[in-house]
Amino acid sequence: MLTIWILSQVLTGILFADFLTGVVHWLQDRFGRESWPLLGRLVVAPNRRHHDEPLAFTRDSFASRNSTAFAAATLLALVLSGILGPSLWLVTAWLVGAFSNELHFWAHRPDRAPGVVLLCQFVGLLQSRAHHARHHASPNRSCYCIVTEWLNPLLDRVGFWSKLEAAVPARWLV
């Protein structure tokens, strides 16, 4: 019984973080402006570069790939922990969110991934290159979640992103 509870908490944290990576990625792609103070330079510009040259960030350092996601995930986890109290799912979500770009890196890495990563990609716990390539295919309007292969098919099938986009003024879109 304890094992099922732990697994459910961990899975909840992974899926929560994956969903949030999708929301943040969608916001960057559809609303982000490189001209914004601070966020434009630290978040939007690297995201645009990544879409123009998907392998570029694989040549960046670990710190460069993960620093902004780590900071954002840590801040959000602290706020949610203050509101909801500490929990295993929240710790898991923080870890996955904090290192989401590193997990995303494995879907782009040009050389062969280690066995454990390949196993995680095989079961969909981490995105494979083939799955993530759908986001990089024009017009880049699907598969925004960057961690697992589980949420993108569901969110895309129900038109989540297009419905979300329809709820905001068109002038805000990039």
Side-chain angles (χ1 to χ4, degrees):
M1 192 67 161
L2 181 60
T3 303
I4 292 172
W5 179 84
I6 291 171
L7 287 174
S8 69
Q9 291 287 299
V10 169
L11 183 59
T12 298
I14 291 168
L15 293 175
F16 181 74
D18 194 24
F19 178 72
L20 286 182
T21 68
V23 171
V24 169
H25 191 175
W26 174 77
L27 286 167
Q28 290 174 22
D29 284 6
R30 301 301 290 139
F31 297 96
R33 305 264 195 279
E34 290 184 53
S35 61
W36 288 349
L38 197 59
L39 286 179
R41 181 176 53 82
L42 293 175
V43 177
V44 179
N47 183 53
R48 296 272 190 265
R49 178 178 171 231
H50 176 64
H51 279 194
D52 293 341
E53 189 183 348
L55 291 180
F57 92 119
T58 66
R59 296 185 293 272
D60 292 341
S61 69
F62 176 86
S64 177
R65 278 193 305 274
N66 294 287
S67 58
T68 54
F70 184 86
T74 300
L75 179 61
L76 181 60
L78 288 171
V79 169
L80 288 177
S81 184
I83 295 168
L84 304 172
S87 63
L88 179 56
W89 76 265
L90 188 53
V91 170
T92 303
W94 167 70
L95 285 170
V96 171
F99 296 104
S100 58
N101 280 336
E102 196 63 20
L103 301 173
H104 174 212
F105 164 81
W106 291 105
H108 283 281
R109 192 172 158 138
D111 57 344
R112 186 169 168 83
V116 69
V117 172
L118 290 174
L119 177 63
C120 289
Q121 289 175 329
F122 179 75
V123 299
L125 185 59
L126 293 178
Q127 285 187 10
S128 64
R129 269 190 222 163
H131 178 90
H132 187 59
R134 288 182 261 176
H135 174 71
H136 284 279
S138 186
N140 308 96
R141 297 285 190 267
S142 65
C143 295
Y144 287 101
C145 301
I146 64 170
V147 178
T148 76
E149 293 188 1
W150 301 332
L151 291 181
N152 284 323
L154 173 66
L155 294 172
D156 291 344
R157 191 174 306 119
V158 301
F160 179 80
W161 305 111
S162 57
K163 289 174 183 168
L164 194 57
E165 216 164 275
V168 298
R171 68 180 181 278
W172 291 359
L173 300 173
V174 173

